[in-house]
Amino acid sequence: MSKISSRKQQLEAFDRLLTIMDELREQCPWDRKQTIESLRHLTIEETFELSDAILDGDLEEVKKELGDILLHIVFYAKIGSEKEVFDISTVIDSLCEKLIRRHPHIYGDTEAKDDEAVKQNWEKIKLQEKGNKSVLGGVPRSLPALIKAMRIQEKARGVGFDWEEKDQVWEKVEEEMQEFKAEFDVTGSGPIDAENASGEFGDLLFSLINYARFMEINPEEALEKTNRKFMYRFQYLEEAAKKAGKKLADMSLAEMDVYWNEAKNQ
């Protein structure tokens, strides 16, 4: 049996959700107590849970987490309607209008031969809509630094400010590596200017993120995969040492490496 519903079934399911939201807001003490502000941190948590499910490749869990996020969207809209500032209809209508405006190659007479042209049109239209003085004005201040670097670079590229070839970007990586090495002398024993070293390290990271973008590698996802790989191997090391009656604090690095290499071969 197909899991893909008809449009009628989809609309009926959405209507059912809106009805349940109305009932919960009216009858449930916890739901009645919530505000836009109190839901904020929960929404962020749900977003990260969706991210985990995507990284795990667990589509069943992705479905569940999408439901949780949809609940939050409906919840915010319900609160908005109570305040008489917006409701789910105006939220959706606003989104539809934005999508139409930002896809003039579909709904207008603009041409876009590839996805890069689409992104450039999107950023230009977005800049006009928001009235930002800077192309970078739409980058959220609270974004994690690595993701923020990606978005800054993507937005700059959207108006043509970017390297032309990936080898140029790699030259920049090597240049920043040398500058960081000069600031943080790995062979010397003299004092280190921590502030300057931190600045150079930031420049190096920014250039590596830039190169990853040219290689069509998502650096956030790449780093998270490495985080998970390290955690798996370290936890294998902990469990193997425990089974052998050993404590990590009492083991040499060489002894730990034996189990670490075992984990790499699992």
Side-chain angles (χ1 to χ4, degrees), residues 25 73 78 108 116 151 183 186 220 229 234:
R25 188 65 172 170
I73 293 171
K78 176 62 177 176
E116 189 59 40
R151 294 298 293 133
E183 197 64 49
V186 296
E220 169 71 19
K229 180 169 60 178
F234 190 82

Side-chain angles (χ1 to χ4, degrees), residues 129-146:
E129 288 176 353
K130 290 183 174 292
N132 291 330
K133 295 180 179 179
S134 169
V135 170
L136 306 181
V139 179
R141 296 188 303 275
S142 58
L143 272 181
L146 194 152

Side-chain angles (χ1 to χ4, degrees), residues 169-182 199-208:
V169 189
W170 185 249
E171 287 178 7
K172 185 63 176 176
V173 171
E174 292 183 321
E175 176 188 326
E176 296 295 352
M177 177 67 80
Q178 291 304 314
E179 290 182 6
F180 174 67
K181 186 178 180 180
E200 294 297 343
F201 186 66
D203 292 344
L204 174 58
L205 280 178
F206 193 85
S207 64
L208 280 169

Side-chain angles (χ1 to χ4, degrees), residues 90-140:
T90 56
V91 168
I92 293 174
D93 284 342
S94 177
L95 171 61
C96 291
E97 290 164 5
K98 179 173 71 174
L99 290 173
I100 291 171
R101 284 197 310 272
R102 294 190 185 178
H103 289 81
H105 55 290
I106 302 296
Y107 302 103
D109 53 9
T110 300
E111 290 188 6
K113 297 181 180 179
D114 53 32
D115 65 318
E116 189 59 40
V118 172
K119 287 191 289 186
Q120 290 182 6
N121 281 339
W122 181 282
E123 292 298 338
K124 290 176 183 176
I125 295 169
K126 186 175 181 179
L127 188 64
Q128 294 170 354
E129 288 176 353
K130 290 183 174 292
N132 291 330
K133 295 180 179 179
S134 169
V135 170
L136 306 181
V139 179

